[in-house]
Amino acid sequence: MTDGKPLALGCVADDYTGASDLANTLTKAGLRTVQTIGIPASDLALPETDAVVVALKSRSIPAPEAVARSREAEAWLRQRGAAHVMFKVCSTFDSTDAGNIGPVADALREDAGEAIALVTPAFPETGRSVYQGNLFVGALPLNESPLKDHPLNPMRDANLVRVLERQSRHGVGLIDMATVAKGPEAVAARLEALAAEGKGAAIADAIFDDDLETLGRAIVGRRFSVGASGLGLGLARALAADGRGTRDAAGAAVGEPVGGHAACLAGSCSQATLGQIAAAGAVMPVLRLDAGRIVADRESVVAEALAFARERIAAGPVLIASSADPAAVRALQSQHGSEAAGHAVEAALSAIAEGLVAQGVRRLVIAGGETSGAAVDRLGLRAFLVGPEIAAGVPVLRTAGRAEPMLLALKSGNFGGPDFFARALDMMR
Ligand SMILES: Nc1ncnc2c1ncn2[C@@H]1O[C@H](COP(=O)(O)OP(=O)(O)O)[C@@H](O)[C@H]1O
Ligand SMILES: O=C(O)[C@@H](O)C(=O)COP(=O)(O)O
């Protein structure tokens, strides 16, 4: 695949929705981008592209496994000529003290032969900003935002220097806003100074896209960085300014309508998704799954959900959701443990995704990062071309390498406005 010119940028993403968010940003900034699911097999034919985002499902797996998979992906990207590899993490820095951002960043930085990596999850378009190393979600510090109640990685500390230091083998420094405001040379000098102090990573402040452009220019000549879509924007703009982009990068994924039935699945329990499910009730039939029953008797719940869809899908889209509010999630987790509960629900939703495709669904919207990962794996999808943007961080994806093409939207739990599901389906024909 993509045997043509060397990649302008290679990215390793720690989940599938995050990968499509980044692929969307890179495409909008002028890099033709393909999202692959894991390292692509050699028989997968893909168009020529400026950037590849290798999507892994490595955010919530044991750190040694996350490190091994990420290193393989990075090696593959380097073989395709990527001089710079960015490790895409969540804009809310989703991780636990046991991993995985620190261990993966340490390993990829060492493989790249760099002493220090610039790290920033800032993504101003979705309200994520970093000031004095503290991550804000809109007006709230991370630890006061809805992320404090995430089912898998509750975020209880907004200070990313501290958060990353707890996960890393090396010290973590800060590139503060006063330095960023001075421009790319000042940022590069501060990185070198922190490396000389023995730091392995530096959290960079960024509030506006301009700050990310400064950071992109400062590091585009280095080999490795860690960030969310905002840093992708900075890097892509620096590369495009250097003539490495393509005019009309977004045109690549425009294709014939795929037709077929349409459906939505939600496993995200984020506040944004809960609101979107409530709003979808006005425009499509919604089935709410009982997560307790999923843990006890998954097969029956899956069969009932597919029967619900079978009766309605010819008339229009349906939404099937396991999502619940924080109190209900906590109650289930205290009974079964958070991993077991999460995995049981992911297994049920991915079995439902498979059943829906067997019923003729060719347009599928999925809310939730882990949920999307489980469903895409179960469906055996291998790569996506990036189409138009539905909401900040969420593009329409068109499958590549599948005999009968499908359109998907993989929505990070926190993204999108209240009418997201209807809006997505409107754009997926
Ligand atoms: N009702 C529920 N109770 C407990 N866990 C749930 C429930 N519904 C979904 N989950 C789990 O919560 C997690 C949500 O994570 P994810 O899909 O990544 O969403 P987000 O994008 O909001 O982070 C998944 O592991 C999912 O299986
Ligand atoms: O950077 C982001 O916020 C997203 O791209 C992302 O990774 C969100 O994670 P999920 O909510 O688990 O999809």
Side-chain angles (χ1 to χ4, degrees), residues 150-152 267-270 291 322 324 329 332 342 345-346 368-371 412-413:
H150 191 280
L152 301 175
S268 163
C269 300
S270 79
S322 70
V329 170
L332 190 77
V345 175
E346 286 166 35
E370 296 295 324
T371 308
S412 152

Side-chain angles (χ1 to χ4, degrees), residues 14 97-98 121 205 279-280 283 289 303 315 320 404 411 417:
D14 69 353
D97 286 350
D205 281 354
V283 288
L289 305 177
I320 298 172
E404 230 184 307
K411 189 191 82 78

Side-chain angles (χ1 to χ4, degrees), residues 15 17-18 21 59 88-92 128 228 368-369 412-415:
D15 82 345
T17 45
D21 163 21
R59 188 175 290 174
K88 159 70 175 69
V89 299
C90 189
S91 65
T92 46
R128 276 61 154 163
S412 152
N414 300 301
F415 287 172

Side-chain angles (χ1 to χ4, degrees), residues 242-265:
D242 207 22
R244 302 294 307 277
T246 304
R247 276 178 48 215
D248 190 25
V254 176
E256 296 295 310
V258 301
H261 300 318
C264 306
L265 286 176

